[in-house]
Amino acid sequence: IREGQARLNEVYDQFALKYGSINNKKNSKLFGEDASYALICSLENVDVEHDTVSKTDMFSKRTIKKREVPTHVDSAVEALAISIAEKAKVDMTYMTELTDLSEEDIAGDLQGIIFKNPRSESNDDVEEYIIADAYLSGNVRDKLQDAELAARQDPVTYEHNIRALKEVVPKDLDATDIDVRLGATWLPPKDIEKFIFEILDTPGYAKWDIKVHYSTFSANWNVEGKSIDRNNIKANMTYGTDRVNAYKIIEDALNLRDTRVYDRVTDYEGKVKSVLNKHETMLAGQKQDALKEAFKSWIWEEPERRNRLVKTYNERFNSIRPREFDGQHIAFEGMNPSIQLREH
């Protein structure tokens, strides 16, 4: 390196004496077509404010650090940092080679820093050990269930998993914290069906033919038998109109659509077309708003339903914990050793 720096200084000094700095306007114009010009420009520090040019560290210092991977460390913590940096995972075989410690000793020393993965018992493709910031994030409720199931067979190993996961599981939301709208896809169709029957006082004979279906493939709700309950005042007047009944309005609300009413009109050319009836559409919109408000009040009324839905909501939507990354183990190969990065 010293020989190379000596030669570089000599060549640069000769060039600068004869032609000036690499970054000056004349050389910039002459070298402009050269794809490597930007690279040789980095040999100089240009101070625009004071109009000075000086040599960079390359002329006198080592600016690239040699990559060296340790072959032996004394502690399990050091071995873990190297394993994460080199293998991007907790590689127990590699760590035992680095430390000459047994897998049991390493696992014991790193208790709370790494966790044994219960799913590795039944799947060889799953990592056996996971670092804490990865294990204690994501769907922690599912992981807690896995750990509790595994603890039945091996309570000593998995009690640490259970304790750590319970600390990070998000606090359960109450019914007052959950905003449920008519059409939420996580609601069971039977509950929607019950709401329809109760709010509209659907007669017994019609309940056999009116069914609510939800398709997970198309994310579409369908109310079967919408036109069967013809003489129901609540369906046709209280929550419906002369042109569209409450069952159709509810179906539109479930699919997040505004109910629209159209008239068939024949134009001067004899063609039949659909024209929006603004008055009837406005009335249907008012009925739809009333049904949405009625649903918000109804959904939490019954204690059994409230507890069941709150549990379902928390399990499905309140189980994720964001991962907190720690980049201390990352090694930036070839980086200038004089550069100190901020925490990242």
Side-chain angles (χ1 to χ4, degrees):
I1 288 177
R2 291 194 189 93
E3 290 175 3
Q5 287 174 335
R7 175 64 180 152
L8 177 62
N9 274 283
E10 180 185 347
V11 172
Y12 176 81
D13 290 343
Q14 290 176 358
F15 178 88
L17 186 64
K18 192 171 183 180
Y19 303 109
S21 69
I22 299 170
N23 282 276
N24 67 28
K25 289 183 179 180
K26 183 178 180 182
N27 287 325
S28 176
K29 187 175 181 180
L30 291 169
F31 281 114
E33 300 288 326
D34 194 324
S36 299
Y37 178 57
L39 185 62
I40 62 169
C41 280
S42 66
L43 289 170
E44 295 176 333
N45 289 320
V46 180
D47 188 338
V48 178
E49 186 177 343
H50 298 95
D51 194 24
T52 59
V53 176
S54 59
K55 297 178 182 179
T56 58
D57 288 348
M58 190 183 292
F59 287 86
S60 56
K61 299 177 183 178
R62 178 189 287 273
T63 57
I64 297 177
K65 186 178 181 180
K66 184 181 178 182
R67 183 176 185 270
E68 295 178 351
V69 180
T71 56
H72 186 274
V73 291
D74 297 324
S75 70
V77 173
E78 292 175 298
L80 175 64
I82 296 170
S83 176
I84 297 297
E86 296 297 318
K87 307 287 187 177
K89 64 178 182 178
V90 181
D91 189 327
M92 273 294 182
T93 305
Y94 180 53
M95 290 164 68
T96 55
E97 293 173 358
L98 286 171
T99 58
D100 296 330
L101 297 171
S102 68
E103 182 176 321
E104 291 75 19
D105 289 338
I106 291 174
D109 290 344
L110 296 177
Q111 194 176 93
I113 301 174
I114 64 172
F115 292 89
K116 189 167 184 180
N117 186 1
R119 296 187 181 183
S120 65
E121 304 281 355
S122 57
N123 190 341
D124 294 336
D125 295 330
V126 175
E127 294 177 29
E128 186 176 6
Y129 289 92
I130 304 176
I131 196 166
D133 61 357
Y135 186 68
L136 301 178
S137 61
N139 194 327
V140 289
R141 289 188 196 271
D142 279 356
K143 291 178 181 180
L144 180 58
Q145 289 179 2
D146 290 342
E148 288 173 337
L149 192 63
R152 296 177 186 175
Q153 304 294 329
D154 188 357
V156 176
T157 300
Y158 293 107
E159 66 177 351
H160 306 292
N161 297 42
I162 294 171
R163 193 182 309 118
L165 286 165
K166 282 184 176 179
E167 290 179 1
V168 299
V169 168
K171 182 182 177 182
D172 282 352
L173 297 175
D174 295 325
T176 53
D177 301 319
I178 302 171
D179 183 25
V180 186
R181 56 174 169 72
L182 193 59
T185 56
W186 60 276
L187 293 172
K190 283 294 179 185
D191 285 333
I192 302 297
E193 206 171 272
K194 191 173 182 181
F195 164 70
I196 292 174
F197 294 160
E198 288 187 12
I199 202 72
L200 300 181
D201 285 338
T202 305
Y205 72 87
K207 291 179 181 179
W208 291 98
D209 298 309
I210 298 174
K211 304 293 180 185
V212 175
H213 306 284
Y214 175 71
S215 170
T216 55
F217 297 103
S218 62
N220 189 65
W221 291 90
N222 173 254
V223 179
E224 182 184 347
K226 292 184 287 290
S227 59
I228 289 173
D229 188 13
R230 293 189 179 89
N231 300 317
N232 188 335
I233 294 176
K234 284 194 173 182
N236 298 321
M237 293 183 64
T238 309
Y239 292 107
T241 71
D242 292 338
R243 297 289 299 275
V244 56
N245 67 20
Y247 296 99
K248 176 66 171 73
I249 293 174
I250 290 173
E251 184 182 72
D252 287 337
L254 288 169
N255 290 300
L256 309 182
R257 294 192 303 257
D258 292 332
T259 301
R260 294 178 178 273
V261 180
Y262 292 91
D263 294 327
R264 303 282 285 175
V265 177
T266 303
D267 62 15
Y268 65 94
E269 294 179 349
K271 295 179 180 178
V272 179
K273 59 181 181 179
S274 297
V275 177
L276 180 70
N277 186 318
K278 293 182 180 180
H279 177 70
E280 288 294 336
T281 297
M282 180 187 69
L283 291 177
Q286 292 172 352
K287 302 297 184 180
Q288 192 175 67
D289 290 340
L291 283 163
K292 289 177 181 178
E293 289 302 315
F295 179 77
K296 286 182 180 180
S297 303
W298 176 89
I299 194 68
W300 301 128
E301 278 179 356
E302 189 179 290
E304 182 279 327
R305 181 173 62 243
R306 179 174 64 247
N307 295 335
R308 173 170 50 83
L309 292 179
V310 165
K311 183 181 178 182
T312 300
Y313 184 90
N314 279 300
E315 288 176 352
R316 289 189 62 177
F317 305 109
N318 191 30
S319 301
I320 306 300
R321 183 176 186 266
R323 183 170 175 178
E324 297 175 1
F325 289 92
D326 179 8
Q328 296 300 323
H329 64 276
I330 301 174
F332 294 90
E333 307 300 343
M335 191 178 76
N336 188 333
S338 66
I339 295 175
Q340 294 297 320
L341 294 180
R342 299 186 182 120
E343 289 187 8
H344 51 280

